[in-house]
């Protein structure tokens, strides 16, 4: 049954509309995408890199496989705790999951059982002992985060932050009603209420709590997802603007632009980290020795330009937000004659 939900807004509710970037809101839809039998037109480059790591780590047969159905539908609400601030860390959200009340976990698992018919042995054990087993769930979530999302988080976060900046300006220039009316084609704002079509469940202030928490997402889409667990504010996750270009190859940076400052080899490594890679992979692609690559990566990591993420027996290195900003600025600068620069490594 499809219903038209109508979420009324008081003056207090409007005053409590806010945005948040939530790592956990990326976990479920991205995991589901990796398990899907179809190829996603936007996220295929990411999925092709991550899917083998998922299988190698055994995550294709763990807790998340039972909690997140590959064909869509309900995701247990305790996996998406309400962000306490504008950008909680992955660790903070895992802590919130571990602290979920036992009754909340059991209620969500009962709801999941109604969707899929039954619960497997693992989820039945979780139902019997939430406080004892939620740590196992969050350990697997941490492993998944490090394998699948952490190496790409700087790029994903840039898209999410840009979406929030755009919509905050929209609200400032045209009002909150215009902002809500612009979020998705299934949503409309009229007469102090947000109307949402194509929903399976009603949505009212009695069931949803106060205010509204808007969460842009790289992997949610094309529809919107909601979480309504009073007294938390209702959460609404929607597809962020700019996701279509998330994995597109970026212009190759002129090596001379930064080499005078960082050195040729460190600049080369930053350029190669368009895709997160291990020391061995970088050595193979650049022709540098593994020892040299390790030394340069340590320097870049100490400078806050590279982050390291455990992927099974290897470590993946990725550019940080600071590195992305630096490269964009360098690419935007006019060409400088390399004969007038010093390209030596220091």
């Amino acid at each position: 049954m499809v219903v038209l939900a109508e979420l009324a807004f008081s003056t207090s509710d409007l005053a409590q509309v806010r945005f948040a970037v939530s790592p956990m809101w990326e976990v479920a839809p991205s995991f589901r995408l990796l398990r899907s039998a179809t190829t996603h037109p936007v996220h295929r480059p990411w999925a092709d890199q991550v899917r083998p790591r998922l299988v190698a780590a055994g995550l294709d047969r763990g807790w998340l496989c039972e909690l997140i159905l590959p064909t869509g539908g309900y995701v247990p609400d305790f996996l998406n705790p309400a962000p306490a601030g504008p950008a909680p860390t992955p660790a903070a959200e895992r802590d919130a999951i571990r602290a979920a009340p036992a009754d909340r976990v059991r209620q969500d698992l009962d709801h999941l059982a109604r969707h899929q018919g039954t619960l497997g042995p693992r989820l039945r054990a979780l139902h019997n002992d939430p406080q004892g087993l939620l740590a196992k769930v969050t350990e697997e979530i941490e492993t998944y985060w490090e394998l699948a999302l952490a190496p790409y988080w700087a790029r994903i976060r840039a898209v999410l932050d840009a979406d929030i900046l755009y919509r905050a300006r929209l609200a400032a220039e045209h009002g909150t009603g215009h902002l809500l009316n612009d979020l998705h084609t299934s949503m409309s704002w009229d007469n102090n209420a947000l109307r949402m079509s194509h929903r399976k469940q009603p949505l009212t202030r009695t069931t949803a709590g106060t205010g509204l928490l808007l969460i842009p997402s790289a992997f949610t889409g094309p529809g919107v997802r909601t979480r309504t667990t009073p007294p938390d504010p209702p959460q609404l996750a929607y597809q962020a603007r700019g996701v279509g270009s998330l994995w597109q190859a970026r212009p190759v940076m002129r090596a001379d632009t930064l080499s005078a400052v960082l050195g040729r080899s460190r600049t080369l490594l930053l350029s190669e980290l368009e895709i997160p890679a291990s020391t061995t992979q970088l050595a193979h692609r650049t022709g540098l020795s593994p020892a040299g690559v390790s030394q340069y990566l340590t320097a870049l990591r100490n400078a806050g330009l590279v982050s390291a993420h455990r992927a099974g027996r290897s470590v993946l290195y990725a550019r940080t937000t600071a590195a992305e900003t630096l490269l964009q600025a360098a690419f935007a600068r006019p060409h400088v004659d390399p004969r007038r620069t010093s390209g030596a490594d220091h």
Side-chain angles (χ1 to χ4, degrees), residues 160-228:
L160 304 183
D161 286 344
D163 177 90
I164 292 175
L165 181 62
Y166 165 80
R167 298 189 188 280
R169 182 169 182 175
L170 200 65
E173 293 179 348
H174 303 285
T176 305
H178 187 89
L179 160 68
L180 296 175
N181 200 49
D182 185 69
L183 277 175
H184 193 267
T185 55
S186 67
M187 301 169 56
S188 61
W189 172 263
D190 183 53
N191 196 26
N192 296 324
L194 181 64
R195 293 176 173 82
M196 303 175 63
S197 60
H198 309 301
R199 284 185 57 83
K200 295 182 179 180
Q201 298 292 333
L203 180 63
T204 67
R205 279 296 164 195
T206 303
T207 60
T210 60
L212 180 64
L213 188 53
L214 300 172
I215 302 176
S217 171
F219 292 95
T220 293
V224 295
R225 294 173 57 207
T226 57
R227 175 188 185 269
T228 54

Side-chain angles (χ1 to χ4, degrees), residues 33 38-45 219 221 239:
L33 185 152
T38 60
T39 300
H40 196 282
V42 170
H43 296 298
R44 179 175 180 174
F219 292 95
Q239 188 176 73

Side-chain angles (χ1 to χ4, degrees), residues 49 53 146-147 151-152 268-270 272-298 300 306-319:
Q49 295 170 37
R53 301 177 205 157
E146 287 297 314
L147 289 175
Y152 309 90
L268 176 61
L269 289 174
L270 276 186
E272 287 292 331
L273 285 175
E274 174 77 13
I275 297 173
S278 66
T279 299
T280 302
Q281 290 170 329
L282 289 169
H284 177 74
R285 282 166 16 194
T286 62
L288 299 171
S289 69
V293 170
S294 179
Q295 177 185 347
Y296 296 134
L297 287 174
T298 298
L300 291 169
V306 163
S307 57
H309 310 276
R310 174 64 60 180
R313 296 181 179 179
S314 62
V315 175
L316 292 177
Y317 292 89
R319 296 196 300 231

